[in-house]
Amino acid sequence: MTGYALRRLGGALIVLFLLSVLVYLLFYVAPGDPARLACGPRCNAEQIRQVQDQLGLNEPLLTQYLHFLQGVVSGRDYSTGTGVLHCHAPCFGLSYQNDQPVTELLSARLPVTASLALGAMVLWLLLGVGTGLLSALRRGGTTERVLTVLTLTGTATPVFITGLLLLMIFCAYLQWLPFPTYVPLTEDPEQWAWNLLLPWTALALLESAKYARLTRSATLETLAEDHIRTFRAYGVRERTVIGRHALRGALPPVIALNAVDLGAMFGGAMLTETLFGLPGIGQLLVHSVRSVDLPVVVGAVLAIGAAVVLAGAVADVLYALADRRVTLT
Amino acid sequence: MSDLQETGVWRRLRARPSAVVAAAVLAVLALFALGAPLLSALEGQDPTTYHDSLIDSARGGVPLGPYGGIGADHWLGVEPGTGRDLFARLLYGARISLLVALGATVVQVLIGVTIGLAAGFGSRFVDTVLSRFTDVMVALPMLVFGVALTAVVPADFPRPLLLIIVIGLLSWGGTSRIVRAQTLSLKKLDYVAAARLGGSRPWRVARRELLPALAAPVITYAAILVPMNMVVEASLSFLGIGVRPPASSWGQMLSTATTWFRADPTYVLLPAACLFVTVLAFTVLGDALRTALDPRERSRLRVGTRGGSRGAERATTKGAAV
């Protein structure tokens, strides 16, 4: 088991390394001139040359990439003309906009993204697993058909449409909820939850459709298995059969999918954060793309990529742990 | 196509009312998109002219009149802030949404089939390299990468083409995996072995023996890709990095609508309804096509295998844009 987990995580690290090469090549080598972007629109040739020196853009490509990797692993120093600015590990460079280390920018936004992701997760698990279970137990009936249509609708609706409709209903028409502004949990827990309720709901409605389908199919599979029939034949109460045994069979895939989704969310829910104006990692990426702030783009993409790739590895390990029938190779 | 008819695919598709309705909706939509210049000429409007007289500048540019200025001149009202005609903008938006969704699917299928065939049919080394490459591509958060890629492309590059390329290049992994798996199992069949032993070159075997057999699974998967791509296009445009004004797409309109949802609900509801109905129609049709093309699906008693359902869920995971 430990061996499998280590191999799977090792594989994830290799993917991450390849990702860093790919991202680096794409953004620093392809079109455009990083020095011109870093310097700003009103720079003359002399100033651009200075920036090139500072950022080491005249060195061979491999050297540049190694410096970048070194920065990620152990930090890096930048000369600012007047002094030296140390960028702590993991260092993804400095923002072109305000010379702030990318890592600081990212970590300042992590609480927002984490609040959004974790709250939404609780909602989508309750909603999705509940719906899926109900749909599996009422197989063939009207309830199942209604639930199938609802989950299909849920998947077909992009999150910004659901979000806009929620805003129109609860914010503009009924005026029950404020237009979301992020209030830190440590400052005012009640306002924190109140403001995040709409974004959580929008995300949960989208995600829960997936969980409903997964729970439904997994529960049906388990219910068709021999040991369930044996339990029933022994006269175990139906509530116990479903609550304890059928649900257990449905759990491994749900746990695995949840790990993947949570990883993606931690990388930032770009659309949700943009719609509701939440200053999370996803919004940071969108803003930095609009202002062509390459170090922030690269840092955010790598951070998000890391979250997603590691979550995938964790999901596989969790799946294997939760389901004894999976043979490990 | 004759292969498909013989297996009764059309008959089975027609037997499902939901599939027929979805196909009809999409046919109407395609007509609207193709006839956009004609229809907006019929209305007497175009998608880019500003109508300052139709918006209330004292209230920040909210359209005058009820429901976003719906009337005889402007059938679906005008855009808040600019007064551009909404009917025309929705029609031209449909063109972009469909063009990008279908174009990106073509790119994905071409790349996916090529790489999948090469991996399944090539040497073990080729297979390993290509399969690992596919793994990396599948692991990438597609929307994140799409967003980031647009940062390094010059601003004057045509946006619909850029969207087709970006979406197409980033998510061919699923197609490639399916084609590889199919090729590996087809390779073992006698008729393929016969063709190889008969001295046909690999390329000829791939084209004449394998490709026809790959049609059904590839079509099935492509049908799922279309609505996904449509959502990705709308998402990128919603984030302000896809289609930009004065051009319109439904996602771009929804992006502007975020500032107007209080004052002008019509402006939110129209593009949202268009996008929702189209994506739903494509999804329903794709689902029906999958059922019609898969003989096993005919049995209502079928209980999916664990691996199968999990694989399917994995494939949809990437589609969810958050």
Side-chain angles (χ1 to χ4, degrees), chain A residues 116 159 203 206-207 261 264-265 268-273, chain B residues 143 319-322:
Chain A
L116 181 63
V159 68
L203 273 178
L206 169 84
E207 290 286 321
D261 280 343
M265 294 280 166
M270 277 189 299
L271 295 165
T272 315
E273 286 174 3
Chain B
L143 195 62
V322 291

Side-chain angles (χ1 to χ4, degrees), chain A residues 175-257:
Chain A
Q175 304 199 330
W176 286 355
L177 291 165
F179 185 89
T181 40
Y182 180 71
V183 180
L185 176 64
T186 45
E187 215 169 81
D188 186 346
E190 197 189 328
Q191 280 302 312
W192 171 80
W194 202 235
N195 273 291
L196 281 169
L197 193 56
L198 280 183
W200 283 341
T201 315
L203 273 178
L205 286 177
L206 169 84
E207 290 286 321
S208 57
K210 227 164 39 180
Y211 286 85
R213 271 189 317 192
L214 186 63
T215 311
R216 176 178 173 275
S217 63
T219 311
L220 284 178
E221 277 162 31
T222 318
L223 282 177
E225 276 171 23
D226 290 344
H227 72 278
I228 295 287
R229 195 183 52 197
T230 313
F231 281 133
R232 282 184 174 150
Y234 269 100
V236 177
R237 277 193 309 170
E238 188 64 15
R239 196 195 292 172
T240 319
V241 171
I242 287 158
R244 193 169 298 163
H245 303 289
L247 203 54
R248 181 181 292 171
L251 274 182
V254 169
I255 293 174
L257 181 64

Side-chain angles (χ1 to χ4, degrees), chain A residues 18-38:
Chain A
L18 292 176
L19 186 68
S20 80
V21 176
L22 191 70
V23 169
Y24 196 84
L25 284 179
L26 268 177
F27 292 107
Y28 284 113
V29 182
D33 180 0
R36 183 170 289 279
L37 289 169

Side-chain angles (χ1 to χ4, degrees), chain A residues 30-110:
Chain A
D33 180 0
R36 183 170 289 279
L37 289 169
C39 196
R42 275 180 300 234
C43 270
N44 57 32
E46 175 60 29
Q47 284 166 312
I48 288 179
R49 214 167 306 130
Q50 270 178 359
V51 172
Q52 276 176 339
D53 283 344
Q54 276 172 23
L55 296 176
L57 292 171
N58 296 324
E59 292 169 57
L61 195 57
L62 187 64
T63 322
Q64 283 189 47
Y65 176 70
L66 289 178
H67 277 310
F68 175 77
L69 268 193
Q70 188 204 344
V72 175
V73 176
S74 62
R76 184 175 179 182
D77 289 320
Y78 286 94
S79 67
T80 53
T82 48
V84 176
L85 191 82
H86 182 67
C87 171
H88 294 283
C91 172
F92 292 105
L94 308 177
S95 161
Y96 288 166
Q97 299 283 314
N98 49 18
D99 284 344
Q100 257 189 301
V102 174
T103 318
E104 272 177 31
L105 287 172
L106 284 172
S107 55
R109 278 150 182 274
L110 190 61

